[in-house]
Amino acid sequence: MSSVSAVRMFDNDEAGYSAWLRANASGYVINTRRSRPASYMVLHTARCHTIDPLNGSRPGAFTERQYIKLCGTDYSELRRAFGRESGRCKKCQPLVNS
């Protein structure tokens, strides 16, 4: 029995990222720079308005310029795939078992 990974990276895919947020409201998002330095990997809940393309930001601001999104429905899988985040969003304050 094979399983489908619940972990995704969105790079130059604003529409796919937005669809993922809508389909995975209880998931997690790591916002990081395109170059992915470990010094900036901030964890958010999928419901956080600061990382949502529908919040009124300019098109392309979330995955098409300097940032990409690392997304997962399970925090443990997300961490295993991309490493530990460098911080957590102070607005949505994601609660996870570390």
Side-chain angles (χ1 to χ4, degrees), residues 2-92:
S2 65
S3 64
V4 177
S5 175
V7 176
R8 299 264 321 260
M9 177 170 57
F10 292 95
D11 185 354
N12 287 312
D13 185 4
E14 210 81 350
Y17 170 61
S18 186
W20 187 93
L21 288 177
R22 305 293 162 258
N24 298 281
S26 62
Y28 299 96
V29 176
I30 294 177
N31 185 43
T32 188
R33 291 187 181 93
R34 184 168 304 285
S35 59
R36 289 181 54 200
S39 64
Y40 184 81
M41 293 181 71
V42 178
L43 181 70
H44 298 262
T45 65
R47 293 181 179 175
C48 186
H49 72 90
T50 66
I51 48 107
D52 189 340
L54 297 181
N55 75 4
S57 296
R58 290 182 26 204
F62 295 90
T63 69
E64 296 176 4
R65 293 193 187 93
Q66 63 181 342
Y67 294 99
I68 60 173
K69 302 299 183 277
L70 312 173
C71 304
T73 56
D74 180 271
Y75 174 72
S76 296
E77 287 183 27
L78 186 63
R79 185 174 171 191
R80 191 168 33 256
F82 297 111
R84 186 174 184 87
E85 72 278 359
S86 62
R88 296 188 180 172
C89 177
K90 290 179 180 29
K91 302 246 186 228
C92 67

